[in-house]
Amino acid sequence: MASAAGTQAKAAGEPKTFILVHGTWLGGWSWQYVRRILERAGHDVYAPSLTGCGDRSHTTSPEVGLGTHIEDIVNIIDFESLDNVILVGHSFAGMVITGVADARRDRIRRIVFFDALVPAGNRMSGVSRTPEGELSEYFVKRMEKFVDGYRMSFFDSYPMEMLVPDSETEIQALLKEKITLHPMRAWSDELELQNGGWNGLPRTYIHCVGQQYSMTSERMVGPARGPGWQFIELDIPRAGMLTHPQLVAETFANLT
């Protein structure tokens, strides 16, 4: 009989298929270091930029929303004929991967929230709402700064420490160069589920507890502290895929 350690080692060495979905203002480029490490280890890795983001920022429009981003990833699964996928989402891409899992749950091996928002209960969009279902006053006020009325700027709302600490000067320079505006509706659209989303699937939450500035809130993490979840803490910042790619890649590769 194989030992548990032997089984885990075999799973870690087994070629896997990953789809890595970036968070707000980023792009597929944010996974480049992790992707290369996983690919060198023999894994099949997809790290696309969502519509209107990163190298696809030229495809933006006021109509681009959460449904568009879900369709981006569903189409990769369909057109690449992928199966047994480990689906990873960073930050607000927790909404995207939940929608993808809902649409293609038979193709998903495991869903992984990388310091990401876990949609649950009344939290089914990236924007808090009033009891009447209206956008919060805070977000409406924030919309006044949106470029062209719909493109959200990271730098209008957050310091660079929101992603990595000031000690990471090279990574901060990379982020300043690569960060793009983000279509508003990716946050404001509400996620509608038909098949339970992440519920019932093998699921993992990776919490970046090394984040020094404004650690991810319990409103985002909370549902993952319940039964049925694998919960992993890594001592890395929110954009740990850039600062600690080897650790992140190894953590992903060890998922079963």
Side-chain angles (χ1 to χ4, degrees):
M1 180 181 296
S3 66
T7 301
Q8 184 176 12
K10 181 179 179 182
E14 170 197 351
K16 300 181 176 76
T17 299
F18 294 91
I19 299 179
L20 311 179
V21 186
H22 64 83
T24 313
W25 299 292
L26 303 178
W29 63 267
S30 62
W31 292 111
Q32 60 183 299
Y33 306 137
V34 171
R35 174 178 56 79
R36 290 167 186 161
I37 293 168
L38 289 171
E39 288 176 340
R40 285 197 296 268
H43 302 292
D44 193 15
V45 186
Y46 298 81
S49 290
L50 300 169
T51 300
C53 306
D55 56 284
R56 300 186 64 215
S57 59
H58 63 289
T59 64
T60 197
S61 78
E63 288 71 42
V64 173
L66 178 59
T68 316
H69 288 173
I70 291 170
E71 188 175 7
D72 286 336
I73 305 304
V74 167
N75 280 346
I76 289 176
I77 293 173
D78 289 349
F79 283 89
E80 296 287 347
S81 301
L82 302 182
D83 201 3
N84 214 25
V85 172
I86 297 178
L87 179 62
V88 182
H90 176 233
S91 190
F92 279 89
M95 286 288 177
V96 178
I97 63 172
T98 299
V100 173
D102 192 69
R104 294 292 182 272
R105 63 187 299 111
D106 60 326
R107 307 280 193 93
I108 306 302
R109 171 175 179 160
R110 177 171 292 274
I111 186 170
V112 182
F113 293 78
F114 185 74
D115 217 50
L117 169 61
V118 180
N122 294 326
R123 184 68 188 271
M124 299 302 284
S125 80
V127 180
S128 59
R129 296 178 181 272
T130 67
E132 294 75 32
E134 301 296 325
L135 295 176
S136 66
E137 183 178 347
Y138 164 78
F139 192 75
V140 171
K141 184 69 176 176
R142 187 172 168 181
M143 288 170 61
E144 296 175 2
K145 294 184 177 181
F146 289 175
V147 177
D148 301 324
Y150 74 94
R151 305 173 74 192
M152 302 189 299
S153 169
F154 172 85
F155 299 104
D156 279 346
S157 300
Y158 303 106
M160 191 58 71
E161 289 177 291
M162 195 72 173
L163 296 173
V164 296
D166 288 340
S167 58
E168 296 284 352
T169 54
E170 290 187 10
I171 299 300
Q172 283 203 0
L174 178 68
L175 286 161
K176 288 176 183 177
E177 176 189 354
K178 303 293 186 184
I179 278 176
T180 50
L181 301 172
H182 200 84
M184 177 192 77
R185 283 185 49 195
W187 272 31
S188 62
D189 287 352
E190 289 196 279
L191 179 62
E192 297 182 5
L193 302 177
Q194 303 297 323
N195 301 299
W198 51 259
N199 193 32
L201 289 172
R203 53 194 183 272
T204 298
Y205 197 95
I206 299 175
H207 193 15
C208 297
V209 297
Q211 176 65 25
Q212 298 171 6
Y213 179 90
S214 187
M215 187 182 292
T216 297
S217 73
E218 277 301 305
R219 289 193 64 211
M220 293 176 65
V221 180
R225 297 192 187 277
W229 287 84
Q230 177 188 33
F231 199 94
I232 298 171
E233 292 185 345
L234 296 181
D235 188 16
I236 59 178
R238 178 172 286 113
M241 64 282 195
L242 292 169
T243 60
H244 297 75
Q246 187 68 43
L247 175 60
V248 172
E250 289 175 357
T251 302
F252 289 174
N254 283 324
L255 296 171
T256 57

